[in-house]
Amino acid sequence: MESDQKDLSLCSVRDAAREFCAERDWQPFHTPRNLLLALVGEVGELSEIFQWKGECAPGLPDFTDRERVHLGEELADVFLYLVRLADVCGVDLASATLRKLALNRAKYPADQVRGSSQKYSEYHSSSTADASPAGTPSD
């Protein structure tokens, strides 16, 4: 796999991570629990990059080139552990992702939530409460 390749498939990343693990005989250590804990650790390292910076504008214009490289490395670590965890758990991450997007589209209809950060239960209950007869519980 070339390092400058822009469009990677999840399958190619999964296969490369499997190969990397197999070359080192790390399969006994790549249990779901261990991979999850490693993932959480990497998310912590990712969080440290943003800690104490306050709000960051999209595109991170105030980041140095060095900070951007570090950010990319930590994002890649999180991504690799996530892909590896899904693989070890037997989850088709691509299918699960598309399914979750479809569920979220239904849960957060664009015409009802556009420009709002409310949780679905907040806008759903307010819209159904308006439509529910008095005394009728709403979903």
Side-chain angles (χ1 to χ4, degrees):
M1 187 165 56
E2 293 181 22
S3 61
D4 63 344
Q5 188 173 351
K6 297 269 185 189
D7 295 320
L8 295 175
S9 72
L10 282 177
C11 290
S12 66
V13 172
R14 180 204 61 211
D15 293 347
R18 275 184 191 167
E19 182 179 335
F20 182 87
C21 177
E23 290 169 348
R24 289 153 183 79
D25 293 326
W26 284 353
Q27 297 92 326
F29 311 111
H30 281 206
T31 63
R33 176 190 170 276
N34 287 348
L35 290 167
L36 176 61
L37 293 175
L39 174 61
V40 168
E42 292 299 338
V43 169
E45 291 181 26
L46 177 60
S47 299
E48 287 176 352
I49 295 171
F50 291 92
Q51 189 174 17
W52 314 122
K53 285 194 177 280
E55 286 301 318
C56 297
L60 308 174
D62 297 330
F63 272 44
T64 65
D65 289 343
R66 185 176 179 193
E67 287 173 317
R68 287 175 189 283
V69 168
H70 185 210
L71 175 62
E73 290 169 353
E74 296 305 333
L75 286 167
D77 283 341
V78 168
F79 180 63
L80 286 166
Y81 274 117
L82 179 64
V83 169
R84 187 76 183 122
L85 177 61
D87 185 29
V88 168
C89 291
V91 172
D92 177 345
L93 191 55
S95 294
T97 300
L98 294 175
R99 180 179 184 278
K100 185 61 178 178
L101 281 170
L103 290 170
N104 284 345
R105 276 193 183 90
K107 188 186 268 187
Y108 297 97
D111 63 329
Q112 292 181 34
V113 301
R114 188 170 288 110
S116 173
S117 63
Q118 287 183 320
K119 187 173 176 171
Y120 74 93
S121 57
E122 293 177 32
Y123 76 83
H124 183 69
S125 63
S126 65
S127 65
T128 56
D130 296 340
S132 299
T136 305
S138 57
D139 257 332

